[in-house]
Amino acid sequence: MIYSKYSTVIIGSGIAGLYAALKIEQQVNLPDGLLLITKAKLGESNSRYAQGGMVAVMKDNKSDSTASHISDTIKAGAGLSEFNAVKFISENSDAVVKDLLKFGVEFDRDENNNFCFTKEAAHSVRRILHAGGDATGKMIEQALCRKVHENSNIEVYEQTDAVDLLVNSNECKGLIVFNSETQEYETIYSSAVILATGGVGQLYKYTTNPAGATGDGLALAFNAGAVMQDMEFVQFHPTALAFDDDENRFLISEAVRGEGAKLCDADGVEFMSKYDERKELAPRDIVTRANFNEMSENNVDNVYLNASCIDSKKLARRFPNISKKCLEHGIDISKDFIPVAPAAHYFMGGIKTNLKGETSVSGLYAIGETASTGLHGGNRLASNSLLECVVCAYSVAEYLKSLELKTPKQFGEEIKLILDRYSDEDLVLDELDVQSLKNKLQNIMWDYVGILRSQNTLSQAIEKLEALKNEFQRDYKCLSRDEYEFRNMLTVSQLIAHCALSRKESRGAHFRTDYSQTNDECIHSNISKDNWIADKEKDFVK
Ligand code: FAD
Ligand code: SIN
């Protein structure tokens, strides 16, 4: 085992991790340096695939206000958003957008050099900045990756997975990483470990998320004793292109509906007015259930999006990547219907944090999609995620500025036990067909813990996941990245299923066919290793 030490370690190179690295390097005293580790190539992440844009409530945009954005976010959040988090993130959007520009990020502008704003579902005004038409995530991420590459004070480990956190008496003192190319382990001591490990889409058979979205940070934090919040809230996007790529489904951005496209059946009959007066621009959970219902009632695999009402030149300019991807499947979006179906897209739950990124474990921080600040509540408003990533990265850097980041010197018994798990050279592990285990898990989650849930489906999921765990035969140490990912997927799936079973109501993206009402009392679910909801009938641990 190799040993090293850093003042701060960031795990993940999506927009949250990259921007945090740049801000921390700029502002924080780092006697032992700064390390960013990422399990694939730098920048490979959900962030890269973000299309629609990033919310920006700019001070000089007279048609918008933070009050309006706060109100839209809270309405979409189905009563579960935290007002302070919404306000903080909204009020900081002007500052972070201006700061991103300094790091070389360019958003689309009109002929007068003013920002172009688009609209997405449940936003009352046009307030969403985009870049490269429909390649917002890629454009932001590439600019930040360039800056990280140029910065010799930020050390980067690629192809390196965080596999465990070193926690003693509820204090995080570092982590263990596994290099999937060399198969080597390294112990890294650090007084600040920041999880920016993204979402969980890969737990589901159909998802818009790329291969790496396996919930690793959530599993690591849970096993380290951190409190997790609202784990039952998974957002399903209503319009993923209904063709399977290797590992995910390509997204047809909500901004296409924002620009006027309509949902319809194979005969062109529009149906959204049956479900909500806001039709295609109703909150995402409502449109998703509408599509799902139409598909189930008509026993078909998809519905359609008709964008032919949008000027064809505008379509090509605003949505170049969507146009290109559809053409690869023989679909000209200026005249053909686009086959679409719901897919797992975003995780509203996560590691419970405050607005400084602190988790319930001292020295362990979480930002971006893996964290639950309370911004999104039960249903995320479109394009609020990228904003949350940058605002929270900014604020964790601000907070670390006030600390003395001394690398820990004393390690207790608990940490020695964790290290032993990975240094046991005699441990013999049989080869496993991990891909087949992943497929089984994804089917269980889609069929039983998906868009519509019930006591019956969730109880079955819990049993089936337990059986998969027995089949997996690994406790801690694994043989490969795939195995580590599966280990984490199992933990997170079990948490989602248990929390979904315990929430006996429907709210936002969590819909129970056996409890379709929304309760008057609106509570977060909190779960931790010490407060595991083992008893199905037990109520939430508040
Ligand atoms: P990610 O960008 O997912 O980055 C996570 C990083 O952590 C990755 O680099 C990953 O490799 C690394 N990692 C994970 N586990 C480990 C480990 N064990 N060890 C080391 N590294 C690890 N949101 C919007 O606001 N607007 C949009 O328009 C939008 N469009 C979207 C379109 C698509 C197709 C998708 C999938 C999402 C979209 N979202 C959008 C959501 C948004 O992109 C994500 O929520 C956001 O980018 C998450 O950023 P992040 O930095 O938290 O995580
Ligand atoms: C989209 O472009 O539809 C995705 C936007 C988001 O997830 O915020």
Side-chain angles (χ1 to χ4, degrees):
M1 179 92 80
I2 308 164
Y3 291 86
S4 55
K5 59 175 184 173
Y6 288 87
S7 295
T8 299
V9 180
I10 298 167
I11 309 168
S13 65
I15 285 173
L18 292 166
Y19 188 57
L22 292 164
K23 295 310 290 177
I24 289 170
E25 191 282 329
Q26 216 176 42
Q27 309 190 47
V28 181
N29 181 24
L30 300 160
D32 289 322
L34 174 61
L35 173 67
L36 188 153
I37 74 161
T38 191
K39 67 180 176 180
K41 272 185 75 63
L42 189 74
E44 181 47 41
S45 59
N46 270 7
S47 298
R48 174 172 289 187
Y49 302 90
Q51 294 183 354
M54 183 173 114
V55 162
V57 188
M58 303 306 289
K59 288 194 172 134
D60 55 6
N61 180 1
K62 296 289 172 257
S63 57
D64 198 9
S65 66
T66 51
S68 159
H69 175 233
I70 292 168
S71 158
D72 289 348
T73 301
I74 286 175
K75 262 190 229 156
L80 209 57
S81 295
E82 287 296 325
F83 179 79
N84 286 342
V86 182
K87 183 168 182 290
F88 177 79
I89 288 166
S90 183
E91 287 179 348
N92 278 292
S93 73
D94 181 272
V96 292
V97 168
K98 288 175 180 155
D99 199 51
L100 284 177
L101 300 178
K102 291 189 204 147
F103 282 108
V105 174
E106 288 185 22
F107 293 102
D108 294 339
R109 293 174 186 263
D110 65 17
E111 53 286 1
N112 300 317
N113 206 33
N114 295 319
F115 285 137
C116 298
F117 290 101
T118 192
K119 198 169 179 215
E120 287 177 297
H123 283 278
S124 49
V125 301
R126 287 183 166 260
R127 62 162 69 94
I128 295 156
L129 290 180
H130 44 88
D134 53 4
T136 310
K138 189 169 168 192
M139 303 299 281
I140 302 177
E141 186 247 22
Q142 283 181 342
L144 299 181
C145 276
R146 258 194 306 277
K147 292 290 176 199
V148 167
H149 274 306
E150 285 163 16
N151 193 321
S152 57
N153 292 330
I154 304 174
E155 190 162 346
V156 176
Y157 288 3
E158 293 181 312
Q159 308 300 343
T160 303
D161 291 44
V163 297
D164 222 327
L165 296 168
L166 302 177
V167 174
N168 203 57
S169 306
N170 203 40
E171 232 184 282
C172 183
K173 310 241 183 193
L175 70 160
I176 298 179
V177 302
F178 170 73
N179 183 310
S180 55
E181 283 180 345
T182 63
Q183 308 281 303
E184 276 180 328
Y185 287 88
E186 179 168 340
T187 298
I188 304 171
Y189 294 112
S190 182
S191 44
V193 175
I194 303 174
L195 294 166
T197 43
V200 306
Q202 284 291 324
L203 304 189
Y204 287 87
K205 179 177 176 186
Y206 299 117
T207 179
T208 62
N209 293 190
T214 49
D216 298 2
L218 297 155
L220 262 57
F222 176 75
N223 288 327
V227 174
M228 319 297 282
Q229 178 166 268
D230 297 338
M231 293 293 286
E232 59 278 31
F233 288 96
V234 178
Q235 182 168 70
F236 295 86
H237 198 290
T239 58
L241 187 62
F243 295 112
D244 291 320
D245 283 338
D246 288 347
E247 64 212 20
N248 60 0
R249 286 191 157 185
F250 182 81
L251 181 73
I252 305 296
S253 173
E254 198 160 80
V256 181
R257 277 175 284 133
E259 298 295 346
K262 302 288 178 211
L263 286 160
C264 61
D265 66 14
D267 298 322
V269 179
E270 294 173 16
F271 54 77
M272 269 315 296
S273 57
K274 280 195 287 183
Y275 297 94
D276 194 284
E277 59 187 12
R278 293 161 290 185
K279 300 185 197 167
E280 277 75 8
L281 296 185
R284 211 167 259 183
D285 59 319
I286 294 174
V287 185
T288 292
R289 282 193 296 277
N291 285 356
F292 195 70
N293 190 48
E294 291 291 316
M295 286 161 52
S296 312
E297 275 187 358
N298 300 312
N299 201 16
V300 290
D301 292 335
N302 58 272
V303 291
Y304 293 90
L305 192 63
N306 178 5
S308 63
C309 52
I310 306 171
D311 173 67
S312 60
K313 286 205 188 85
K314 182 174 181 184
L315 265 180
R317 190 181 64 248
R318 268 295 278 116
F319 304 112
N321 295 300
I322 294 174
S323 305
K324 182 166 167 269
K325 183 74 187 182
C326 288
L327 262 189
E328 286 169 16
H329 289 283
I331 298 158
D332 174 350
I333 66 169
S334 68
K335 46 179 201 269
D336 301 327
F337 290 175
I338 311 167
V340 291
H345 180 64
Y346 183 82
F347 194 48
M348 268 88 62
I351 307 160
K352 185 175 173 149
T353 67
N354 62 18
L355 294 170
K356 296 181 244 172
E358 288 178 294
T359 69
S360 61
V361 175
S362 154
L364 180 66
Y365 303 82
I367 52 172
E369 190 167 340
T370 198
S372 175
T373 59
L375 169 71
H376 309 298
N379 184 35
R380 177 175 64 98
L381 187 65
S383 290
N384 261 351
S385 170
L386 294 181
L387 176 63
E388 185 187 42
C389 285
V390 277
V391 171
C392 292
Y394 189 92
S395 78
V396 80
E398 282 291 310
Y399 179 62
L400 292 186
K401 225 164 50 174
S402 65
L403 304 181
E404 209 185 332
L405 296 175
K406 280 202 182 136
T407 310
K409 290 207 173 67
Q410 304 260 309
F411 308 106
E413 247 341 276
E414 285 177 65
I415 288 185
K416 291 202 187 91
L417 287 176
I418 301 169
L419 290 175
D420 286 348
R421 293 173 192 162
Y422 297 87
S423 10
D424 181 359
E425 303 288 336
D426 299 332
L427 185 69
V428 181
L429 298 170
D430 294 333
E431 294 278 341
L432 285 168
D433 181 354
V434 195
Q435 192 50 52
S436 132
L437 290 174
K438 277 190 178 178
N439 293 345
K440 283 188 198 168
L441 179 142
Q442 288 164 339
N443 282 319
I444 295 171
M445 291 302 283
W446 183 260
D447 291 340
Y448 301 99
V449 196
I451 297 166
L452 305 181
R453 302 148 172 200
S454 69
Q455 162 101 25
N456 182 20
T457 67
L458 294 166
S459 306
Q460 287 192 60
I462 288 167
E463 265 176 41
K464 288 173 190 290
L465 290 168
E466 200 51 47
L468 261 192
K469 195 173 174 184
N470 293 334
E471 218 181 304
F472 183 47
Q473 300 168 352
R474 304 277 189 266
D475 290 325
Y476 300 102
K477 192 173 180 182
C478 296
L479 289 179
S480 62
R481 163 174 313 147
D482 274 350
E483 287 194 4
Y484 278 116
E485 286 184 339
F486 183 72
R487 185 195 69 175
N488 298 329
M489 289 164 77
L490 254 179
T491 301
V492 179
S493 298
Q494 289 183 308
L495 289 172
I496 296 175
H498 275 282
C499 290
L501 183 64
S502 296
R503 186 174 285 278
K504 294 185 173 63
E505 62 163 347
S506 292
R507 183 183 294 280
H510 170 71
F511 195 90
R512 292 272 305 244
T513 52
D514 49 352
Y515 291 98
S516 57
Q517 87 295 343
T518 302
N519 293 345
D520 293 340
E521 197 193 7
C522 176
I523 53 168
H524 291 289
S525 60
N526 281 193
I527 185 168
S528 69
K529 223 167 43 168
D530 301 331
N531 272 316
W532 173 250
I533 311 173
D535 174 358
K536 290 179 213 159
E537 296 309 318
K538 218 176 191 174
D539 270 329
F540 291 114
V541 185
K542 276 200 242 176

